[in-house]
Amino acid sequence: LASLSGMNSSPETGSFGDQLVSLMPRLRRFALGLTSSAQDGDDLVQAACQRALERSEQWQPGTRLDSWLYRIMQNLWLDRLRAGAIRNNFLRTQTEEPSLDGVRAAHARLTLAAVRAILDEIPDTQRSALLLVCVEGLSYREAAEVQGVPIGTVMSRLARARADAGRCAGRT
């Protein structure tokens, strides 16, 4: 990415490559939420970055790069799901473990497993809306733009996701 230093740059915003690099933690978090696997999430981030770099001329400076990248990532993920290339498996073992004492670490793993099990029950469209708004902090309008749907659809998906999550949590 260092070779992109002059691409689509302006003094206020920095280069396209610099902005892309600064968004990596957020992209990885969103990908992990979509795929529930560190390995699949990293693959998704890599594919999204590759697509963004190949099509960087399509991004309009002055618009939100993060929303554009989330949209690319979501579309890639949906394409992979449709093609059957990836299986959702929220109980896959993670290599990242919280660095806590034994009791707290066990509690954190159990909580994480419970959250993943709940997310596994929520349809992809609802999960995506939930991750964009509740984890990534996007507004309803921004989430609607990323998902390519009206704002009312995002609100409906969030309401259903929260209700479904509540019902699932009541069962665990």
Side-chain angles (χ1 to χ4, degrees), residues 30-94:
F30 183 60
L32 182 60
L34 288 175
T35 65
S36 72
S37 159
Q39 180 179 349
D40 292 340
D42 287 344
D43 290 346
L44 184 59
V45 169
Q46 182 176 354
C49 288
Q50 179 180 354
R51 172 126 347 139
L53 291 170
E54 290 169 350
R55 300 177 183 181
S56 63
E57 72 284 347
Q58 294 177 4
W59 176 67
Q60 299 173 2
T63 61
R64 290 191 57 154
L65 181 59
D66 60 346
S67 293
W68 186 64
L69 291 165
Y70 290 143
R71 179 73 181 254
I72 289 172
M73 191 175 299
Q74 179 178 328
N75 288 339
L76 286 169
W77 177 245
L78 291 175
D79 289 347
R80 288 180 182 189
L81 287 177
R82 285 185 199 116
I86 296 177
R87 289 223 143 125
N88 258 342
N89 181 0
F90 285 96
L91 300 178
R92 191 178 298 187
T93 305
Q94 297 270 328

Side-chain angles (χ1 to χ4, degrees), residues 132-154:
L132 288 169
V133 172
C134 297
V135 176
E136 294 303 325
L138 270 58
S139 69
Y140 289 5
R141 182 175 314 283
E142 292 165 338
E145 289 172 9
V146 168
Q147 292 188 312
V149 298
I151 194 169
T153 302
V154 169

Side-chain angles (χ1 to χ4, degrees), residues 95-157:
T95 57
E96 302 134 17
E97 296 287 332
S99 59
L100 306 170
D101 63 54
V103 173
R104 290 178 51 207
H107 185 304
R109 282 192 298 275
L110 290 172
T111 301
L112 182 59
V115 169
R116 285 194 177 146
I118 290 169
L119 285 175
D120 194 26
E121 298 290 323
I122 298 172
D124 289 332
T125 55
Q126 292 175 20
R127 183 176 355 153
S128 180
L130 192 65
L131 290 169
L132 288 169
V133 172
C134 297
V135 176
E136 294 303 325
L138 270 58
S139 69
Y140 289 5
R141 182 175 314 283
E142 292 165 338
E145 289 172 9
V146 168
Q147 292 188 312
V149 298
I151 194 169
T153 302
V154 169
M155 294 169 67
S156 175
R157 287 177 179 175

